[in-house]
Amino acid sequence: MILCESDLAKFAGLLNDCKSFVLTCHTNPDGDALGSTLALRKVLINMGKEATVITPDLAPTYFSWMPGIKSLMTYERQQEECDKVIDAADVVLVMDYNDFKRVRSLGDKLLASDKKYVMIDHHTDPVAKTDVMFSVPSAAATCELVYYLLRQASLWQYVDIDVATDLYTGIMTDTG
């Protein structure tokens, strides 16, 4: 899978120029949603960036073993704190969803902000307008897409065992 060079360049520019990132995923997050957000969060932290994952609602407890899961913020339970984190962020990463309706009231907050947006998703027919979009419906999982993104954006040196575990979880759960 080869990603668009101009989108890779824009993404690399945001990573270089920005300090604070919020990563979001869809309601009722599955292994791919959690794996892709947690993996990319850890890569950003390994790069020396600030990165926070905000989920619309609680993650299922059977994913409580995943690296980074305890760092999640939940919008429906921590809205005021989440709003402050979003307001302070430079970039919002839209992970494993293609329409802000898939994140309920979190979507209203995101649509009202003037942040830079990057979509990384494998679902068809993206609706959300973003500054950079990696939308590849042929990918088996968003985690697969993140894997290729990390390789092609020369970010592989920031991958550690936690990142690999989160990516594997998403690929395994979305593909069986």
Side-chain angles (χ1 to χ4, degrees), residues 54 73-75 78-87:
I54 299 176
M73 295 182 74
T74 304
Y75 198 75
Q78 302 168 283
Q79 183 173 345
E80 191 172 309
E81 289 175 82
C82 290
D83 284 346
K84 288 178 185 175
V85 171
I86 293 166
D87 291 342

Side-chain angles (χ1 to χ4, degrees), residues 7 10-11 14-15 18 20-25 40 83 85-87 89-95 97 99-100 103 105-120 127-134:
D7 287 337
K10 288 179 197 173
F11 182 67
L14 288 172
L15 293 182
C18 299
S20 179
F21 297 80
V22 168
L23 299 94
T24 63
C25 64
L40 195 49
D83 284 346
V85 171
I86 293 166
D87 291 342
D90 300 313
V91 178
V92 175
L93 292 136
V94 175
M95 308 288 296
Y97 69 96
D99 188 338
F100 288 115
V103 292
S105 61
L106 174 57
D108 296 335
K109 173 65 179 176
L110 296 176
L111 286 169
S113 80
D114 61 351
K115 306 297 173 190
K116 296 284 184 187
Y117 288 93
V118 175
M119 178 189 292
I120 303 173
V127 174
K129 300 293 184 225
T130 59
D131 298 283
V132 180
M133 182 181 297
F134 299 102

Side-chain angles (χ1 to χ4, degrees), residues 3-63:
L3 302 175
C4 174
E5 286 188 37
S6 64
D7 287 337
L8 285 168
K10 288 179 197 173
F11 182 67
L14 288 172
L15 293 182
N16 289 330
D17 298 342
C18 299
K19 178 184 172 194
S20 179
F21 297 80
V22 168
L23 299 94
T24 63
C25 64
H26 59 73
T27 302
N28 191 25
D30 56 15
D32 191 29
L34 293 170
S36 60
T37 55
L38 292 171
L40 195 49
R41 172 192 166 271
K42 185 69 186 308
V43 165
L44 291 165
I45 289 170
N46 290 348
M47 293 175 68
K49 308 292 182 175
E50 295 173 19
T52 305
V53 174
I54 299 176
T55 59
D57 54 359
L58 288 173
T61 57
Y62 50 83
F63 288 119

Side-chain angles (χ1 to χ4, degrees), residues 1-8 120 133-136 144-153:
M1 172 182 317
I2 298 175
L3 302 175
C4 174
E5 286 188 37
S6 64
D7 287 337
L8 285 168
I120 303 173
M133 182 181 297
F134 299 102
S135 176
V136 183
E144 178 188 11
L145 189 50
V146 170
Y147 166 84
Y148 283 106
L149 178 61
L150 294 174
R151 298 283 303 203
Q152 293 175 36

